[in-house]
PDB file of all heavy atoms in Angstrom:
ATOM      1  N   ASN A   1       7.838 -10.126 -12.584  1.00  0.00           N
ATOM      2  CA  ASN A   1       6.459 -10.344 -12.538  1.00  0.00           C
ATOM      3  C   ASN A   1       6.170 -11.426 -11.544  1.00  0.00           C
ATOM      4  O   ASN A   1       7.052 -11.795 -10.772  1.00  0.00           O
ATOM      5  CB  ASN A   1       5.792 -10.715 -13.941  1.00  0.00           C
ATOM      6  CG  ASN A   1       6.394 -12.124 -14.442  1.00  0.00           C
ATOM      7  OD1 ASN A   1       6.998 -12.829 -13.720  1.00  0.00           O
ATOM      8  ND2 ASN A   1       6.116 -12.396 -15.637  1.00  0.00           N
ATOM      9  N   ALA A   2       4.804 -11.786 -11.378  1.00  0.00           N
ATOM     10  CA  ALA A   2       4.459 -12.713 -10.334  1.00  0.00           C
ATOM     11  C   ALA A   2       5.271 -14.236 -10.345  1.00  0.00           C
ATOM     12  O   ALA A   2       5.078 -14.857  -9.404  1.00  0.00           O
ATOM     13  CB  ALA A   2       2.938 -12.807 -10.276  1.00  0.00           C
ATOM     14  N   PHE A   3       5.827 -14.447 -11.402  1.00  0.00           N
ATOM     15  CA  PHE A   3       6.451 -15.729 -11.696  1.00  0.00           C
ATOM     16  C   PHE A   3       7.942 -15.589 -11.723  1.00  0.00           C
ATOM     17  O   PHE A   3       8.663 -16.581 -12.209  1.00  0.00           O
ATOM     18  CB  PHE A   3       5.824 -16.405 -12.875  1.00  0.00           C
ATOM     19  CG  PHE A   3       4.463 -16.725 -12.663  1.00  0.00           C
ATOM     20  CD1 PHE A   3       3.509 -15.801 -13.305  1.00  0.00           C
ATOM     21  CD2 PHE A   3       3.898 -17.698 -11.979  1.00  0.00           C
ATOM     22  CE1 PHE A   3       2.103 -15.910 -13.209  1.00  0.00           C
ATOM     23  CE2 PHE A   3       2.473 -17.895 -11.745  1.00  0.00           C
ATOM     24  CZ  PHE A   3       1.632 -17.069 -12.338  1.00  0.00           C
ATOM     25  N   GLY A   4       8.585 -14.472 -11.498  1.00  0.00           N
ATOM     26  CA  GLY A   4       9.969 -14.344 -11.510  1.00  0.00           C
ATOM     27  C   GLY A   4      10.589 -14.032 -12.966  1.00  0.00           C
ATOM     28  O   GLY A   4      11.699 -13.889 -13.070  1.00  0.00           O
ATOM     29  N   ALA A   5       9.674 -13.770 -13.916  1.00  0.00           N
ATOM     30  CA  ALA A   5      10.169 -13.316 -15.185  1.00  0.00           C
ATOM     31  C   ALA A   5      10.314 -11.798 -15.312  1.00  0.00           C
ATOM     32  O   ALA A   5       9.906 -11.107 -14.360  1.00  0.00           O
ATOM     33  CB  ALA A   5       9.197 -13.939 -16.314  1.00  0.00           C
ATOM     34  N   PHE A   6      10.630 -11.342 -16.533  1.00  0.00           N
ATOM     35  CA  PHE A   6      10.748  -9.972 -16.797  1.00  0.00           C
ATOM     36  C   PHE A   6       9.359  -9.243 -16.683  1.00  0.00           C
ATOM     37  O   PHE A   6       8.406  -9.793 -17.143  1.00  0.00           O
ATOM     38  CB  PHE A   6      11.326  -9.676 -18.161  1.00  0.00           C
ATOM     39  CG  PHE A   6      12.794 -10.000 -18.316  1.00  0.00           C
ATOM     40  CD1 PHE A   6      13.237 -11.214 -18.950  1.00  0.00           C
ATOM     41  CD2 PHE A   6      13.667  -9.089 -17.757  1.00  0.00           C
ATOM     42  CE1 PHE A   6      14.695 -11.436 -18.917  1.00  0.00           C
ATOM     43  CE2 PHE A   6      15.123  -9.340 -18.035  1.00  0.00           C
ATOM     44  CZ  PHE A   6      15.484 -10.525 -18.555  1.00  0.00           C
ATOM     45  N   VAL A   7       9.415  -8.084 -16.213  1.00  0.00           N
ATOM     46  CA  VAL A   7       8.209  -7.225 -16.256  1.00  0.00           C
ATOM     47  C   VAL A   7       8.008  -6.819 -17.582  1.00  0.00           C
ATOM     48  O   VAL A   7       8.751  -6.176 -18.183  1.00  0.00           O
ATOM     49  CB  VAL A   7       8.358  -6.012 -15.204  1.00  0.00           C
ATOM     50  CG1 VAL A   7       7.279  -5.038 -15.396  1.00  0.00           C
ATOM     51  CG2 VAL A   7       8.537  -6.501 -13.703  1.00  0.00           C
ATOM     52  N   HIS A   8       6.789  -6.946 -18.163  1.00  0.00           N
ATOM     53  CA  HIS A   8       6.373  -6.410 -19.396  1.00  0.00           C
ATOM     54  C   HIS A   8       5.953  -4.957 -19.143  1.00  0.00           C
ATOM     55  O   HIS A   8       4.948  -4.733 -18.622  1.00  0.00           O
ATOM     56  CB  HIS A   8       5.293  -7.268 -20.013  1.00  0.00           C
ATOM     57  CG  HIS A   8       5.743  -8.661 -20.468  1.00  0.00           C
ATOM     58  ND1 HIS A   8       5.040  -9.317 -21.433  1.00  0.00           N
ATOM     59  CD2 HIS A   8       6.738  -9.319 -19.969  1.00  0.00           C
ATOM     60  CE1 HIS A   8       5.582 -10.526 -21.576  1.00  0.00           C
ATOM     61  NE2 HIS A   8       6.640 -10.497 -20.657  1.00  0.00           N
ATOM     62  N   PRO A   9       6.590  -4.039 -19.896  1.00  0.00           N
ATOM     63  CA  PRO A   9       6.296  -2.583 -19.664  1.00  0.00           C
ATOM     64  C   PRO A   9       4.912  -2.191 -19.964  1.00  0.00           C
ATOM     65  O   PRO A   9       4.358  -1.363 -19.218  1.00  0.00           O
ATOM     66  CB  PRO A   9       7.340  -1.760 -20.535  1.00  0.00           C
ATOM     67  CG  PRO A   9       8.510  -2.871 -20.709  1.00  0.00           C
ATOM     68  CD  PRO A   9       7.881  -4.194 -20.631  1.00  0.00           C
ATOM     69  N   ASP A  10       4.291  -2.747 -21.026  1.00  0.00           N
ATOM     70  CA  ASP A  10       3.060  -2.596 -21.358  1.00  0.00           C
ATOM     71  C   ASP A  10       2.031  -2.945 -20.362  1.00  0.00           C
ATOM     72  O   ASP A  10       0.954  -2.254 -20.052  1.00  0.00           O
ATOM     73  CB  ASP A  10       2.675  -3.087 -22.700  1.00  0.00           C
ATOM     74  CG  ASP A  10       3.345  -2.308 -23.962  1.00  0.00           C
ATOM     75  OD1 ASP A  10       3.774  -1.168 -23.601  1.00  0.00           O
ATOM     76  OD2 ASP A  10       3.406  -2.861 -24.954  1.00  0.00           O
ATOM     77  N   ASN A  11       2.179  -4.113 -19.802  1.00  0.00           N
ATOM     78  CA  ASN A  11       1.367  -4.594 -18.679  1.00  0.00           C
ATOM     79  C   ASN A  11       1.394  -3.599 -17.469  1.00  0.00           C
ATOM     80  O   ASN A  11       0.320  -3.320 -16.876  1.00  0.00           O
ATOM     81  CB  ASN A  11       1.799  -5.961 -18.198  1.00  0.00           C
ATOM     82  CG  ASN A  11       1.385  -7.047 -19.241  1.00  0.00           C
ATOM     83  OD1 ASN A  11       0.574  -6.747 -20.128  1.00  0.00           O
ATOM     84  ND2 ASN A  11       2.069  -8.277 -19.036  1.00  0.00           N
ATOM     85  N   PHE A  12       2.567  -3.188 -17.085  1.00  0.00           N
ATOM     86  CA  PHE A  12       2.787  -2.254 -15.981  1.00  0.00           C
ATOM     87  C   PHE A  12       2.021  -1.011 -16.301  1.00  0.00           C
ATOM     88  O   PHE A  12       1.363  -0.368 -15.469  1.00  0.00           O
ATOM     89  CB  PHE A  12       4.175  -2.004 -15.653  1.00  0.00           C
ATOM     90  CG  PHE A  12       4.321  -0.834 -14.625  1.00  0.00           C
ATOM     91  CD1 PHE A  12       4.090  -0.895 -13.369  1.00  0.00           C
ATOM     92  CD2 PHE A  12       4.919   0.396 -15.180  1.00  0.00           C
ATOM     93  CE1 PHE A  12       4.271   0.163 -12.541  1.00  0.00           C
ATOM     94  CE2 PHE A  12       5.076   1.365 -14.409  1.00  0.00           C
ATOM     95  CZ  PHE A  12       4.866   1.355 -13.115  1.00  0.00           C
ATOM     96  N   ARG A  13       2.257  -0.386 -17.522  1.00  0.00           N
ATOM     97  CA  ARG A  13       1.657   0.845 -17.882  1.00  0.00           C
ATOM     98  C   ARG A  13       0.154   0.877 -17.751  1.00  0.00           C
ATOM     99  O   ARG A  13      -0.537   1.824 -17.305  1.00  0.00           O
ATOM    100  CB  ARG A  13       2.164   1.251 -19.165  1.00  0.00           C
ATOM    101  CG  ARG A  13       1.599   2.610 -19.752  1.00  0.00           C
ATOM    102  CD  ARG A  13       2.362   2.895 -21.073  1.00  0.00           C
ATOM    103  NE  ARG A  13       2.266   1.870 -22.113  1.00  0.00           N
ATOM    104  CZ  ARG A  13       1.316   1.735 -22.771  1.00  0.00           C
ATOM    105  NH1 ARG A  13       0.110   2.472 -22.700  1.00  0.00           N
ATOM    106  NH2 ARG A  13       1.116   0.787 -23.665  1.00  0.00           N
ATOM    107  N   CYS A  14      -0.418  -0.103 -18.435  1.00  0.00           N
ATOM    108  CA  CYS A  14      -1.862  -0.163 -18.761  1.00  0.00           C
ATOM    109  C   CYS A  14      -2.544  -0.541 -17.340  1.00  0.00           C
ATOM    110  O   CYS A  14      -3.625  -0.044 -16.992  1.00  0.00           O
ATOM    111  CB  CYS A  14      -2.206  -1.212 -19.745  1.00  0.00           C
ATOM    112  SG  CYS A  14      -1.651  -0.748 -21.377  1.00  0.00           S
ATOM    113  N   ARG A  15      -2.091  -1.486 -16.541  1.00  0.00           N
ATOM    114  CA  ARG A  15      -2.747  -2.054 -15.363  1.00  0.00           C
ATOM    115  C   ARG A  15      -2.404  -1.319 -14.115  1.00  0.00           C
ATOM    116  O   ARG A  15      -3.322  -1.137 -13.232  1.00  0.00           O
ATOM    117  CB  ARG A  15      -2.503  -3.567 -15.153  1.00  0.00           C
ATOM    118  CG  ARG A  15      -2.951  -4.324 -16.271  1.00  0.00           C
ATOM    119  CD  ARG A  15      -2.562  -5.912 -16.177  1.00  0.00           C
ATOM    120  NE  ARG A  15      -2.914  -6.708 -17.305  1.00  0.00           N
ATOM    121  CZ  ARG A  15      -2.670  -7.972 -17.463  1.00  0.00           C
ATOM    122  NH1 ARG A  15      -2.108  -8.516 -16.369  1.00  0.00           N
ATOM    123  NH2 ARG A  15      -3.097  -8.653 -18.515  1.00  0.00           N
ATOM    124  N   HIS A  16      -1.258  -0.828 -13.887  1.00  0.00           N
ATOM    125  CA  HIS A  16      -0.877  -0.233 -12.631  1.00  0.00           C
ATOM    126  C   HIS A  16      -0.525   1.289 -12.748  1.00  0.00           C
ATOM    127  O   HIS A  16      -0.999   2.000 -11.953  1.00  0.00           O
ATOM    128  CB  HIS A  16       0.329  -1.004 -12.043  1.00  0.00           C
ATOM    129  CG  HIS A  16      -0.092  -2.412 -11.617  1.00  0.00           C
ATOM    130  ND1 HIS A  16      -0.204  -2.654 -10.224  1.00  0.00           N
ATOM    131  CD2 HIS A  16      -0.129  -3.513 -12.190  1.00  0.00           C
ATOM    132  CE1 HIS A  16      -0.490  -3.824 -10.096  1.00  0.00           C
ATOM    133  NE2 HIS A  16      -0.548  -4.443 -11.302  1.00  0.00           N
ATOM    134  N   TRP A  17       0.279   1.623 -13.846  1.00  0.00           N
ATOM    135  CA  TRP A  17       0.833   3.033 -13.890  1.00  0.00           C
ATOM    136  C   TRP A  17      -0.511   3.980 -14.008  1.00  0.00           C
ATOM    137  O   TRP A  17      -0.496   5.022 -13.331  1.00  0.00           O
ATOM    138  CB  TRP A  17       1.732   3.169 -15.100  1.00  0.00           C
ATOM    139  CG  TRP A  17       2.077   4.636 -15.152  1.00  0.00           C
ATOM    140  CD1 TRP A  17       1.746   5.493 -16.086  1.00  0.00           C
ATOM    141  CD2 TRP A  17       3.008   5.507 -14.218  1.00  0.00           C
ATOM    142  NE1 TRP A  17       2.424   6.665 -16.008  1.00  0.00           N
ATOM    143  CE2 TRP A  17       3.115   6.625 -14.853  1.00  0.00           C
ATOM    144  CE3 TRP A  17       3.685   5.144 -13.156  1.00  0.00           C
ATOM    145  CZ2 TRP A  17       3.801   7.697 -14.277  1.00  0.00           C
ATOM    146  CZ3 TRP A  17       4.455   6.142 -12.579  1.00  0.00           C
ATOM    147  CH2 TRP A  17       4.479   7.465 -13.068  1.00  0.00           C
ATOM    148  N   ALA A  18      -1.358   3.616 -14.909  1.00  0.00           N
ATOM    149  CA  ALA A  18      -2.488   4.483 -15.209  1.00  0.00           C
ATOM    150  C   ALA A  18      -3.311   4.716 -13.878  1.00  0.00           C
ATOM    151  O   ALA A  18      -3.774   5.810 -13.557  1.00  0.00           O
ATOM    152  CB  ALA A  18      -3.425   3.890 -16.356  1.00  0.00           C
ATOM    153  N   ALA A  19      -3.530   3.617 -13.154  1.00  0.00           N
ATOM    154  CA  ALA A  19      -4.266   3.723 -11.880  1.00  0.00           C
ATOM    155  C   ALA A  19      -3.465   4.428 -10.852  1.00  0.00           C
ATOM    156  O   ALA A  19      -4.120   5.231 -10.046  1.00  0.00           O
ATOM    157  CB  ALA A  19      -4.616   2.329 -11.398  1.00  0.00           C
ATOM    158  N   MET A  20      -2.273   4.381 -10.736  1.00  0.00           N
ATOM    159  CA  MET A  20      -1.505   5.180  -9.780  1.00  0.00           C
ATOM    160  C   MET A  20      -1.620   6.642 -10.047  1.00  0.00           C
ATOM    161  O   MET A  20      -1.766   7.456  -9.301  1.00  0.00           O
ATOM    162  CB  MET A  20       0.070   4.696  -9.981  1.00  0.00           C
ATOM    163  CG  MET A  20       0.398   3.511  -9.252  1.00  0.00           C
ATOM    164  SD  MET A  20       2.296   3.368  -9.478  1.00  0.00           S
ATOM    165  CE  MET A  20       2.422   1.623  -9.147  1.00  0.00           C
ATOM    166  N   CYS A  21      -1.377   7.039 -11.535  1.00  0.00           N
ATOM    167  CA  CYS A  21      -1.528   8.459 -11.798  1.00  0.00           C
ATOM    168  C   CYS A  21      -2.818   9.048 -11.418  1.00  0.00           C
ATOM    169  O   CYS A  21      -2.984  10.262 -11.000  1.00  0.00           O
ATOM    170  CB  CYS A  21      -1.277   8.505 -13.256  1.00  0.00           C
ATOM    171  SG  CYS A  21       0.534   8.164 -13.697  1.00  0.00           S
ATOM    172  N   LYS A  22      -3.929   8.212 -11.681  1.00  0.00           N
ATOM    173  CA  LYS A  22      -5.298   8.796 -11.400  1.00  0.00           C
ATOM    174  C   LYS A  22      -5.349   8.969  -9.862  1.00  0.00           C
ATOM    175  O   LYS A  22      -5.972  10.020  -9.491  1.00  0.00           O
ATOM    176  CB  LYS A  22      -6.283   7.828 -11.946  1.00  0.00           C
ATOM    177  CG  LYS A  22      -7.659   8.200 -11.803  1.00  0.00           C
ATOM    178  CD  LYS A  22      -8.648   7.236 -12.386  1.00  0.00           C
ATOM    179  CE  LYS A  22     -10.113   7.710 -12.197  1.00  0.00           C
ATOM    180  NZ  LYS A  22     -11.133   6.812 -12.825  1.00  0.00           N
ATOM    181  N   ALA A  23      -4.981   7.951  -9.063  1.00  0.00           N
ATOM    182  CA  ALA A  23      -5.113   8.043  -7.632  1.00  0.00           C
ATOM    183  C   ALA A  23      -4.252   9.171  -6.968  1.00  0.00           C
ATOM    184  O   ALA A  23      -4.719   9.772  -6.000  1.00  0.00           O
ATOM    185  CB  ALA A  23      -4.760   6.698  -6.960  1.00  0.00           C
ATOM    186  N   ALA A  24      -3.159   9.412  -7.722  1.00  0.00           N
ATOM    187  CA  ALA A  24      -2.299  10.490  -7.223  1.00  0.00           C
ATOM    188  C   ALA A  24      -2.554  11.849  -7.789  1.00  0.00           C
ATOM    189  O   ALA A  24      -1.899  12.854  -7.334  1.00  0.00           O
ATOM    190  CB  ALA A  24      -0.819  10.165  -7.379  1.00  0.00           C
ATOM    191  N   ASP A  25      -3.595  11.887  -8.700  1.00  0.00           N
ATOM    192  CA  ASP A  25      -3.979  13.109  -9.227  1.00  0.00           C
ATOM    193  C   ASP A  25      -2.779  13.821  -9.947  1.00  0.00           C
ATOM    194  O   ASP A  25      -2.414  14.933  -9.833  1.00  0.00           O
ATOM    195  CB  ASP A  25      -4.469  14.138  -8.247  1.00  0.00           C
ATOM    196  CG  ASP A  25      -5.240  15.288  -9.041  1.00  0.00           C
ATOM    197  OD1 ASP A  25      -5.655  15.067 -10.251  1.00  0.00           O
ATOM    198  OD2 ASP A  25      -5.342  16.284  -8.410  1.00  0.00           O
ATOM    199  N   LEU A  26      -1.947  13.009 -10.851  1.00  0.00           N
ATOM    200  CA  LEU A  26      -0.821  13.559 -11.620  1.00  0.00           C
ATOM    201  C   LEU A  26      -1.310  14.316 -12.864  1.00  0.00           C
ATOM    202  O   LEU A  26      -2.298  13.976 -13.329  1.00  0.00           O
ATOM    203  CB  LEU A  26       0.147  12.400 -11.944  1.00  0.00           C
ATOM    204  CG  LEU A  26       0.772  11.669 -10.647  1.00  0.00           C
ATOM    205  CD1 LEU A  26       1.782  10.699 -11.030  1.00  0.00           C
ATOM    206  CD2 LEU A  26       1.284  12.711  -9.585  1.00  0.00           C
ATOM    207  N   PRO A  27      -0.378  15.118 -13.363  1.00  0.00           N
ATOM    208  CA  PRO A  27      -0.741  16.004 -14.638  1.00  0.00           C
ATOM    209  C   PRO A  27      -0.821  14.894 -15.852  1.00  0.00           C
ATOM    210  O   PRO A  27      -0.236  13.808 -15.903  1.00  0.00           O
ATOM    211  CB  PRO A  27       0.435  16.774 -14.827  1.00  0.00           C
ATOM    212  CG  PRO A  27       1.549  16.202 -14.007  1.00  0.00           C
ATOM    213  CD  PRO A  27       0.885  15.564 -12.880  1.00  0.00           C
ATOM    214  N   THR A  28      -1.689  15.348 -16.745  1.00  0.00           N
ATOM    215  CA  THR A  28      -1.795  14.470 -17.999  1.00  0.00           C
ATOM    216  C   THR A  28      -0.521  14.363 -18.843  1.00  0.00           C
ATOM    217  O   THR A  28       0.203  15.303 -18.775  1.00  0.00           O
ATOM    218  CB  THR A  28      -2.843  15.183 -18.947  1.00  0.00           C
ATOM    219  OG1 THR A  28      -4.103  15.357 -18.291  1.00  0.00           O
ATOM    220  CG2 THR A  28      -3.078  14.356 -20.176  1.00  0.00           C
ATOM    221  N   GLY A  29      -0.235  13.220 -19.341  1.00  0.00           N
ATOM    222  CA  GLY A  29       1.022  12.996 -20.063  1.00  0.00           C
ATOM    223  C   GLY A  29       2.140  12.513 -19.282  1.00  0.00           C
ATOM    224  O   GLY A  29       3.187  12.345 -19.715  1.00  0.00           O
ATOM    225  N   CYS A  30       1.967  12.294 -17.919  1.00  0.00           N
ATOM    226  CA  CYS A  30       3.049  11.795 -17.058  1.00  0.00           C
ATOM    227  C   CYS A  30       3.268  10.337 -17.252  1.00  0.00           C
ATOM    228  O   CYS A  30       2.339   9.479 -17.360  1.00  0.00           O
ATOM    229  CB  CYS A  30       2.677  12.008 -15.617  1.00  0.00           C
ATOM    230  SG  CYS A  30       3.829  11.582 -14.482  1.00  0.00           S
ATOM    231  N   THR A  31       4.528   9.939 -17.485  1.00  0.00           N
ATOM    232  CA  THR A  31       4.897   8.642 -17.759  1.00  0.00           C
ATOM    233  C   THR A  31       5.886   8.178 -16.890  1.00  0.00           C
ATOM    234  O   THR A  31       6.374   9.007 -16.060  1.00  0.00           O
ATOM    235  CB  THR A  31       5.503   8.538 -19.258  1.00  0.00           C
ATOM    236  OG1 THR A  31       6.646   9.230 -19.373  1.00  0.00           O
ATOM    237  CG2 THR A  31       4.507   8.958 -20.306  1.00  0.00           C
ATOM    238  N   LEU A  32       6.261   6.951 -16.894  1.00  0.00           N
ATOM    239  CA  LEU A  32       7.397   6.461 -15.964  1.00  0.00           C
ATOM    240  C   LEU A  32       8.548   7.248 -16.304  1.00  0.00           C
ATOM    241  O   LEU A  32       9.511   7.451 -15.299  1.00  0.00           O
ATOM    242  CB  LEU A  32       7.632   4.947 -16.219  1.00  0.00           C
ATOM    243  CG  LEU A  32       8.676   4.313 -15.170  1.00  0.00           C
ATOM    244  CD1 LEU A  32       8.180   4.363 -13.732  1.00  0.00           C
ATOM    245  CD2 LEU A  32       8.857   2.875 -15.579  1.00  0.00           C
ATOM    246  N   HIS A  33       8.916   7.637 -17.613  1.00  0.00           N
ATOM    247  CA  HIS A  33      10.059   8.356 -17.862  1.00  0.00           C
ATOM    248  C   HIS A  33      10.094   9.720 -17.243  1.00  0.00           C
ATOM    249  O   HIS A  33      11.183  10.334 -17.042  1.00  0.00           O
ATOM    250  CB  HIS A  33      10.222   8.530 -19.383  1.00  0.00           C
ATOM    251  CG  HIS A  33      11.638   8.925 -19.822  1.00  0.00           C
ATOM    252  ND1 HIS A  33      12.797   8.086 -19.750  1.00  0.00           N
ATOM    253  CD2 HIS A  33      12.041  10.095 -20.294  1.00  0.00           C
ATOM    254  CE1 HIS A  33      13.823   8.815 -20.256  1.00  0.00           C
ATOM    255  NE2 HIS A  33      13.566   9.764 -20.527  1.00  0.00           N
ATOM    256  N   SER A  34       8.865  10.304 -17.056  1.00  0.00           N
ATOM    257  CA  SER A  34       8.712  11.578 -16.363  1.00  0.00           C
ATOM    258  C   SER A  34       9.492  11.541 -14.859  1.00  0.00           C
ATOM    259  O   SER A  34       9.817  12.677 -14.404  1.00  0.00           O
ATOM    260  CB  SER A  34       7.300  11.951 -16.208  1.00  0.00           C
ATOM    261  OG  SER A  34       6.580  11.980 -17.483  1.00  0.00           O
ATOM    262  N   LEU A  35       9.384  10.408 -14.283  1.00  0.00           N
ATOM    263  CA  LEU A  35      10.060  10.365 -13.023  1.00  0.00           C
ATOM    264  C   LEU A  35      11.551  10.580 -13.079  1.00  0.00           C
ATOM    265  O   LEU A  35      12.349  10.998 -12.172  1.00  0.00           O
ATOM    266  CB  LEU A  35       9.796   8.983 -12.352  1.00  0.00           C
ATOM    267  CG  LEU A  35       8.272   8.561 -12.251  1.00  0.00           C
ATOM    268  CD1 LEU A  35       8.254   7.387 -11.306  1.00  0.00           C
ATOM    269  CD2 LEU A  35       7.534   9.874 -11.631  1.00  0.00           C
ATOM    270  N   ARG A  36      12.179  10.210 -14.272  1.00  0.00           N
ATOM    271  CA  ARG A  36      13.640  10.504 -14.563  1.00  0.00           C
ATOM    272  C   ARG A  36      13.726  11.974 -14.655  1.00  0.00           C
ATOM    273  O   ARG A  36      14.716  12.690 -13.999  1.00  0.00           O
ATOM    274  CB  ARG A  36      14.024   9.779 -15.724  1.00  0.00           C
ATOM    275  CG  ARG A  36      15.416  10.051 -16.277  1.00  0.00           C
ATOM    276  CD  ARG A  36      15.748   9.001 -17.434  1.00  0.00           C
ATOM    277  NE  ARG A  36      17.021   9.493 -18.081  1.00  0.00           N
ATOM    278  CZ  ARG A  36      18.207   9.073 -17.694  1.00  0.00           C
ATOM    279  NH1 ARG A  36      18.442   8.451 -16.619  1.00  0.00           N
ATOM    280  NH2 ARG A  36      19.325   9.447 -18.396  1.00  0.00           N
ATOM    281  N   HIS A  37      12.805  12.658 -15.434  1.00  0.00           N
ATOM    282  CA  HIS A  37      12.911  14.169 -15.540  1.00  0.00           C
ATOM    283  C   HIS A  37      12.713  14.769 -14.096  1.00  0.00           C
ATOM    284  O   HIS A  37      13.299  15.727 -13.818  1.00  0.00           O
ATOM    285  CB  HIS A  37      11.790  14.599 -16.531  1.00  0.00           C
ATOM    286  CG  HIS A  37      11.950  14.194 -17.958  1.00  0.00           C
ATOM    287  ND1 HIS A  37      13.170  14.310 -18.533  1.00  0.00           N
ATOM    288  CD2 HIS A  37      10.994  13.726 -18.761  1.00  0.00           C
ATOM    289  CE1 HIS A  37      12.876  13.760 -19.752  1.00  0.00           C
ATOM    290  NE2 HIS A  37      11.602  13.407 -19.861  1.00  0.00           N
ATOM    291  N   THR A  38      11.907  14.236 -13.325  1.00  0.00           N
ATOM    292  CA  THR A  38      11.528  14.653 -12.021  1.00  0.00           C
ATOM    293  C   THR A  38      12.810  14.655 -11.165  1.00  0.00           C
ATOM    294  O   THR A  38      13.254  15.571 -10.568  1.00  0.00           O
ATOM    295  CB  THR A  38      10.486  13.911 -11.359  1.00  0.00           C
ATOM    296  OG1 THR A  38       9.240  13.974 -12.081  1.00  0.00           O
ATOM    297  CG2 THR A  38      10.320  14.352  -9.922  1.00  0.00           C
ATOM    298  N   ALA A  39      13.533  13.438 -11.245  1.00  0.00           N
ATOM    299  CA  ALA A  39      14.838  13.377 -10.464  1.00  0.00           C
ATOM    300  C   ALA A  39      15.835  14.347 -10.778  1.00  0.00           C
ATOM    301  O   ALA A  39      16.428  14.952 -10.091  1.00  0.00           O
ATOM    302  CB  ALA A  39      15.306  11.830 -10.591  1.00  0.00           C
ATOM    303  N   ALA A  40      16.006  14.528 -12.130  1.00  0.00           N
ATOM    304  CA  ALA A  40      16.977  15.518 -12.682  1.00  0.00           C
ATOM    305  C   ALA A  40      16.609  16.961 -12.206  1.00  0.00           C
ATOM    306  O   ALA A  40      17.528  17.610 -11.813  1.00  0.00           O
ATOM    307  CB  ALA A  40      17.000  15.494 -14.215  1.00  0.00           C
ATOM    308  N   THR A  41      15.391  17.349 -12.419  1.00  0.00           N
ATOM    309  CA  THR A  41      14.851  18.650 -12.099  1.00  0.00           C
ATOM    310  C   THR A  41      15.046  18.979 -10.441  1.00  0.00           C
ATOM    311  O   THR A  41      15.627  19.967 -10.141  1.00  0.00           O
ATOM    312  CB  THR A  41      13.457  18.781 -12.393  1.00  0.00           C
ATOM    313  OG1 THR A  41      13.189  18.640 -13.763  1.00  0.00           O
ATOM    314  CG2 THR A  41      12.919  20.241 -12.064  1.00  0.00           C
ATOM    315  N   LEU A  42      14.684  17.999  -9.765  1.00  0.00           N
ATOM    316  CA  LEU A  42      14.837  18.247  -8.277  1.00  0.00           C
ATOM    317  C   LEU A  42      16.334  18.317  -7.849  1.00  0.00           C
ATOM    318  O   LEU A  42      16.671  18.933  -6.997  1.00  0.00           O
ATOM    319  CB  LEU A  42      14.059  17.092  -7.560  1.00  0.00           C
ATOM    320  CG  LEU A  42      12.580  16.959  -7.665  1.00  0.00           C
ATOM    321  CD1 LEU A  42      11.933  15.988  -6.950  1.00  0.00           C
ATOM    322  CD2 LEU A  42      11.917  18.306  -7.428  1.00  0.00           C
ATOM    323  N   MET A  43      17.214  17.442  -8.508  1.00  0.00           N
ATOM    324  CA  MET A  43      18.580  17.480  -8.170  1.00  0.00           C
ATOM    325  C   MET A  43      19.109  18.988  -8.545  1.00  0.00           C
ATOM    326  O   MET A  43      19.844  19.523  -7.771  1.00  0.00           O
ATOM    327  CB  MET A  43      19.377  16.428  -8.867  1.00  0.00           C
ATOM    328  CG  MET A  43      19.353  15.097  -8.301  1.00  0.00           C
ATOM    329  SD  MET A  43      20.517  13.861  -9.036  1.00  0.00           S
ATOM    330  CE  MET A  43      19.761  13.593 -10.626  1.00  0.00           C
ATOM    331  N   LEU A  44      18.827  19.427  -9.627  1.00  0.00           N
ATOM    332  CA  LEU A  44      19.366  20.734 -10.113  1.00  0.00           C
ATOM    333  C   LEU A  44      18.817  21.876  -9.195  1.00  0.00           C
ATOM    334  O   LEU A  44      19.367  22.756  -8.937  1.00  0.00           O
ATOM    335  CB  LEU A  44      18.972  20.938 -11.598  1.00  0.00           C
ATOM    336  CG  LEU A  44      19.710  20.099 -12.586  1.00  0.00           C
ATOM    337  CD1 LEU A  44      19.091  20.296 -14.015  1.00  0.00           C
ATOM    338  CD2 LEU A  44      21.159  20.394 -12.685  1.00  0.00           C
TER     339      LEU A  44
END
């Protein structure tokens, strides 16, 4: 975080991730874990 401590997942999800998904026009239900599914799918 901005002070060198651990990132709180809920803070990231509520403040940044939701805004990213909206700006990128991603499908409903997309989470950070979806990027893990994405990596696996694209590799296969």
